[in-house]
Amino acid sequence: MTFIPVFIIGLGLLALVYDSLGKLQALKELQLNTYKIKNISQLILDLQQERGLSSGFLGSGGKKFTAQVKEMRRKVDSDCTKISFDSNLTVIRHKIDALSISTIDAFSSYTGIVKNMQEYYLKTSMNIDDAYLVKQFQIYINLSYMQEALGRVRGSFNGVFTRRKGLDRDLLYNAFHSKGMYDSSQDRFLATSSQQYINALQTIASSPEYGYIKHIVDKYTSLQFGNPTEDPQKWFNTATHIINQIANIETSHIEMIDTYIRHKTHTIRMQIISQISFFLLMLFFSSRLSYKLRNAILRNIALLQQYKDAVDRSSIVSKTTKSGRITYANDKFCAISGYTRDKLVGKAHNIIRHPDMPKEAFKDMWDTILDKRPWTGIVKNKKKYGDFYIVEATINPILNHKGEIEEFIAIRNDVTEIIALQEDLEHTQEELIVKMGIITEKRSRETASHVKRVARYSQLLARLYGLKDDEIKNLTDASPMHDIGKVGIPDEILTKPAKLTPDEWAIMQTHTSMGYDLFKDSDKPLFRAAAIITHEHHEKYDGSGYPRGLKGEEIHIYGRITAIADVFDALGSGRYYKEAWSDQEIFALLKEERGKHFDPKLIDIFFEHLDEFLEIRNVFCSSV
Ligand code: C2E
Ligand code: SIN
Ligand code: SIN
Ligand code: SIN
Ligand code: SIN
Ligand code: FE
Ligand code: FE
């Protein structure tokens, strides 16, 4: 999943690199073209001179400019070695040498060649997509047109001035036409150019040479007839001087364009290098990441398998679908349930449900695990051949990455034996307690049934009072021990058939603390309850009891309950020191002592449910 964004970014980078490479290629071509343009410009400049000199040569009937024409032809030929171009230059030159072509026709032939070459500039500037460069080429083209226009003016007048007789009107017309062309290309140049070139052009325009040219042009605009008297050599040299200055601007401009292109090429090259570096870096990191991820996944798979094996070795494990159908059962599960794996997989999990298990237990379990919480509980299961086994089970909902329940895994430990042992231990404990109680009662000639009845009365009171199940059980189990402290009371006091003396009474009262001392250090819930009961069963609600004189709710509910159960039963039984009381006398005392000796709430409960207490007494009377 991490690779999708990496892939997309990689593709994007490749597209960028591809685009940059395209730009680089275009710039290379442009640079090549710029180089060609430089050469062509030189050729044009020289051709323009050859044209002007040839006009002078033809105009003078082959008398003037002979040597200059020859020299310029050599120069043009040398320019031509740097570039290839098709032209009928040789044919024109032959005709010129033979004086078999008119000045204007020769002029036009040269002009045609120059025009073809200038078209090359135009083509070059049309394929550029850099707006700045397009503008620079435009400036260059305008300069070049200015130069050409001035060249035509030079050539035309040169033909006019060398003519021995009369005015060459065609050439003169040509000169004025070229002058107009110069003005319009100068306007275009000024409109697009930078201040630097405008200043350079102004310097040229304010020179005496430029003034001379202007003077000649103005003069011949008004001259209609007659022979021109200008010195053709002076004219040609002056015009050439100005044309060369314009050509210089042109040259420095094309150099500037060249530098700009070089700079741009360098920038794009750097871009490509950084794009490729970034791409490689990303490739490196993403492959490292995928390598790490792969290792982490493999490691996790290996660990997971070992965890699974560890759990399988130590516990009874099964997996079920969301609806409770078994998808997996480990060896221990098969061994304990008696089913083969084939018999289990695909079945509903309740194939091993024991009829003893209350339905509510499973409702609670399903409510919990469907709520995506683990459930733990003790479950009684049924083996294939009817026997049972008990497990402590933890059922874990397994959630997928979206947080939905994928399956349940149940991990159980066999606690059948532990539970059996525990139950056995509990029964032994209960039996011992009752027997200990009986020992006490026997010594004080009370009946064995007293302790059992006190337990029953306490249990009933506790339930009616609303104690929790485990509290009721502890109270019920511990209350037979309420008088265990009497074991430490001397026989002559315990069995004295008369009222006790104050000293004897003081000793008698210590049966509470002695009982308490017996249990106080235990942390077993049952013995904690016994400690409370022995200690507090003679406390009175109004604070007048013993040994500590606790009051009201300071007396533990176990103490308050046992007090009523004990007195109710003691009054109805005979003792060494007294006869049994009648029910009327007993009820009168309990009512009298409501809020004094006894908790008023418990007394109310007692009388509300009197039938049930009497019922207990009847059942247990038979064993008196
Ligand atoms: P017990 O015989 O099991 O009596 C338990 C409680 O029942 C007594 O606690 C008392 O609250 C009540 N009770 C029993 N018989 C009578 C009675 O005739 N009249 C009244 N009003 N209440 C009675 P108490 O008083 O704290 O006595 C604790 C234990 O001390 C008795 O247990 C008994 O073993 C002994 N005891 C109390 N008085 C005498 C006595 O006069 N002579 C002898 N020998 N032992 C006595
Ligand atoms: C383990 O760490 O791989 C298992 C050790 C054990 O369960 O005793
Ligand atoms: C069930 O099916 O009873 C609960 C799921 C389990 O035990 O794994
Ligand atoms: C059941 O009997 O449905 C659940 C018992 C268990 O998970 O052990
Ligand atoms: C016991 O719980 O075993 C003692 C009291 C009773 O039989 O309920
Ligand atoms: Fe007592
Ligand atoms: Fe008692």
Side-chain angles (χ1 to χ4, degrees), residues 441 446 450 482-483 486 566:
E441 304 294 333
E446 290 156 16
H450 172 62
H482 69 275
D483 271 340
K486 284 184 183 170
D566 184 29

Side-chain angles (χ1 to χ4, degrees), residues 316 336 378-381 383 387-392 413-424:
I316 302 161
I336 197 163
I378 303 288
V379 180
K380 190 168 179 180
N381 285 332
K383 295 190 184 192
D387 225 352
F388 73 90
Y389 62 100
I390 298 171
V391 293
E392 186 191 37
N413 287 305
D414 181 5
V415 293
T416 315
E417 260 180 58
I418 298 173
I419 297 247
L421 273 175
Q422 193 183 327
E423 279 177 3
D424 195 45

Side-chain angles (χ1 to χ4, degrees), residues 270-413:
M270 293 323 268
Q271 258 175 23
I272 291 175
I273 289 172
S274 61
Q275 282 160 354
I276 289 179
S277 310
F278 190 59
F279 180 72
L280 290 178
L281 215 68
M282 229 180 62
L283 215 64
F284 173 72
F285 279 116
S286 71
S287 64
R288 250 178 78 96
L289 188 72
S290 75
Y291 176 77
K292 277 189 176 174
L293 270 177
R294 201 181 109 87
N295 268 2
I297 289 169
L298 288 178
R299 182 170 172 273
N300 282 340
I301 290 174
L303 289 181
L304 193 64
Q305 189 54 49
Q306 291 172 63
Y307 293 153
K308 273 187 189 165
D309 293 347
V311 174
D312 269 347
R313 273 195 296 273
S314 58
S315 303
I316 302 161
V317 181
S318 66
K319 291 202 266 184
T320 71
T321 61
K322 239 182 118 169
S323 57
R325 215 153 275 281
I326 298 172
T327 56
Y328 172 79
N330 74 345
D331 292 343
K332 275 181 172 275
F333 191 111
C334 298
I336 197 163
S337 65
Y339 288 100
T340 62
R341 189 166 290 123
D342 291 347
K343 281 272 165 349
L344 289 168
V345 171
K347 298 281 176 357
H349 201 284
N350 55 23
I351 184 173
I352 55 157
R353 190 170 284 186
H354 197 280
D356 280 1
M357 286 300 291
K359 280 220 153 54
E360 310 83 67
F362 294 108
K363 186 183 179 307
D364 172 60
M365 179 196 79
W366 277 107
D367 286 351
T368 306
I369 62 179
L370 286 177
D371 194 32
K372 302 176 183 175
R373 287 179 288 131
W375 177 89
T376 298
I378 303 288
V379 180
K380 190 168 179 180
N381 285 332
K382 195 180 67 178
K383 295 190 184 192
K384 188 179 180 187
Y385 297 111
D387 225 352
F388 73 90
Y389 62 100
I390 298 171
V391 293
E392 186 191 37
T394 299
I395 302 171
N396 304 278
I398 303 297
L399 307 182
N400 63 20
H401 61 286
K402 292 182 204 153
E404 300 158 344
I405 296 172
E406 188 89 356
E407 59 178 3
F408 297 115
I409 179 162
I411 299 173
R412 311 171 185 78
N413 287 305

